[in-house]
Amino acid sequence: MEPIIEVKNVMKTYKKRKSKEYIQAVNDVSFTVNRGEILGLLGPNGAGKTSTIKMICGLLIPDSGSITINGLNNQKKRLESLRHISAVLEGNRNLYWRLTVRENLEYFAGNRGASRKEVLERVEDLLVKFHLKDKETELVNRLSRGMQQKLAIAVAMLADSDVILLDEPTLGLDVETGYEVRELLTSIAEQDNRTIIISTHDMDVVQNLCERTVIINNGQIVTDDKVANLMRLFEVRSYTISLGGLLSGKQQQLLLQKFPDYHYEEDTIVSTLEVDLAKSEEIYDLFDVLKMEGTPVEAIDRKTINFEQIFMEIVKGGNKHAMVQSS
C-alpha cells in the first residue's frame, strides 16, 4: 500500500519545569500511515502519543527525525504539507462557539476560496450527512457535546484534506451519539477515500473501526500491527462451566495437573469451574475429568476477548509484542 504519512526516527525531549532534568517523551519513533486506511494511534497517558500527534500536525518540532505528509517534509515545506491534513483535537477547538452551526460551516468553507454557490451546496450536503439540519440555526455553545463533535468533524471535512486526524472523537459522548460518530467515520473512510488517524481511549472505536493500530509506550512503539492479527494473537480459549454437583478431590487433583491455572468455586446449588485451554482439543481432557465422576454440566460459556484487554496486555508487557509488523 502507498504510504501518505511517514514518521522516521522522531525524537522529542522536554525539560522539566524548575529543574535541569530532561524527559525523553518520544524516542526514535517510526511508522507509516497508508493511504485510505483507518489507523489507531494509541498509548497510555504520558506515553508520548500526544507529542507524536502534535508533531504530525506541525504544532511541535521534533528534536531529530522527519515527518513527511504526501511526500512533503512538514518542517521544510510546512504550509504545503499541512494542506494535506486536518485535525479535530480534543475540546472542539476548530469551532466558533458564538456562531450557529450553519455559520461555522459557511465561514470555514468560504475561507477556502469556494464560490458562494459551492459553499451553499457543500454546507447543505454536510448538514444532511452529519444529521445537523435541524440544528443549523443553533449557536454552537448551546449544542450538546455530541452535536459539537459532529460539527467539528464536518468542519474538518471542508478542507478536503487527504488525512483527517481525530483526537478522542467519542470522548464524553452518550452511547447512541458515539455509535453515530463511528458510523460517520466509517462512511468518510469508505465513500470519501480519506485516510483517518484516530487517537482514543475508547477501545470499541479501535476494534470496530481501525484496520491497524500503532501503540506507543514510554516514548517507543511497542506494537504496529493489524487489529485482526492482534485479536488472533491474543485469542484465549477460556471457559466458564456451571456444574450441577461438586468435584471430588481426585478430579481437582487431575485438573491441577492438566490445567494448573484453573479456578473452582463450590456452591450448594451450582458450582463454577473456570479453565483456560492452550489448544482447542484440550476440551476433551476436561470432559474426561468431569465424566469420571459423572459430574452434571449445567452450562458452558466461552469468554470472548476485546481490544481493551489486548491493549492492557501489550502495555503491561512492555516490548514483548514489539513491532509485530502487518503485511
Side-chain angles (χ1 to χ4, degrees), residues 6 33 36 44 50 54 82 95 122 139 146 150 169 184 191 193 232 238 242 275-276 294 315:
E6 295 181 86
V33 184
T50 301
K54 288 182 176 179
L82 293 180
L95 300 177
R122 191 71 197 279
L139 292 176
K150 289 198 293 181
L184 282 170
Q191 298 177 19
N193 196 31
R232 285 194 295 269
S238 182
S242 300
V275 181
D276 291 339
V315 170

Side-chain angles (χ1 to χ4, degrees), residues 5 7-8 16 21 23 26 36 40 84 87 122 141 145 155 174 182 193 198 206 209 215 225 232 241 253 261 292:
I5 292 179
V7 178
K8 293 182 179 179
K16 279 189 176 181
E21 188 179 349
I23 300 172
V26 180
H84 294 277
R122 191 71 197 279
N141 62 4
R145 185 183 179 97
V155 166
D174 59 58
R182 290 200 293 271
N193 196 31
I198 299 176
V206 179
L209 287 183
I215 298 177
D225 200 0
R232 285 194 295 269
I241 302 170
Q253 188 176 7
D261 295 323
M292 66 180 292

Side-chain angles (χ1 to χ4, degrees), residues 23-129:
I23 300 172
Q24 187 77 60
V26 180
N27 185 9
D28 198 29
V29 163
S30 298
F31 64 92
T32 61
V33 184
N34 297 317
R35 191 178 297 274
E37 79 172 330
I38 304 179
L39 175 79
L41 183 58
L42 312 176
N45 291 333
K49 173 192 64 181
T50 301
S51 295
T52 302
I53 289 169
K54 288 182 176 179
M55 286 188 283
I56 292 173
C57 295
L59 300 175
L60 278 179
I61 299 173
D63 297 334
S64 61
S66 65
I67 298 172
T68 57
I69 304 172
N70 206 31
L72 301 165
N73 187 294
N74 77 339
Q75 292 179 66
K76 297 177 181 178
K77 297 186 177 181
R78 175 183 166 79
L79 293 179
E80 193 177 350
S81 68
L82 293 180
R83 288 194 187 101
H84 294 277
I85 188 168
S86 54
V88 180
L89 302 178
E90 185 185 346
N92 304 321
R93 282 169 275 183
N94 62 332
L95 300 177
Y96 285 107
W97 286 52
R98 293 186 180 182
L99 296 180
T100 66
V101 169
R102 176 176 280 276
E103 286 169 344
N104 265 276
L105 290 169
E106 289 180 351
Y107 172 77
F108 285 105
N111 261 0
R112 289 170 171 82
S115 68
R116 180 66 179 168
K117 181 182 178 182
E118 289 172 328
V119 167
L120 293 176
E121 289 177 352
R122 191 71 197 279
V123 167
E124 195 65 30
D125 177 63
L126 288 171
L127 286 171
V128 172
K129 185 172 186 177

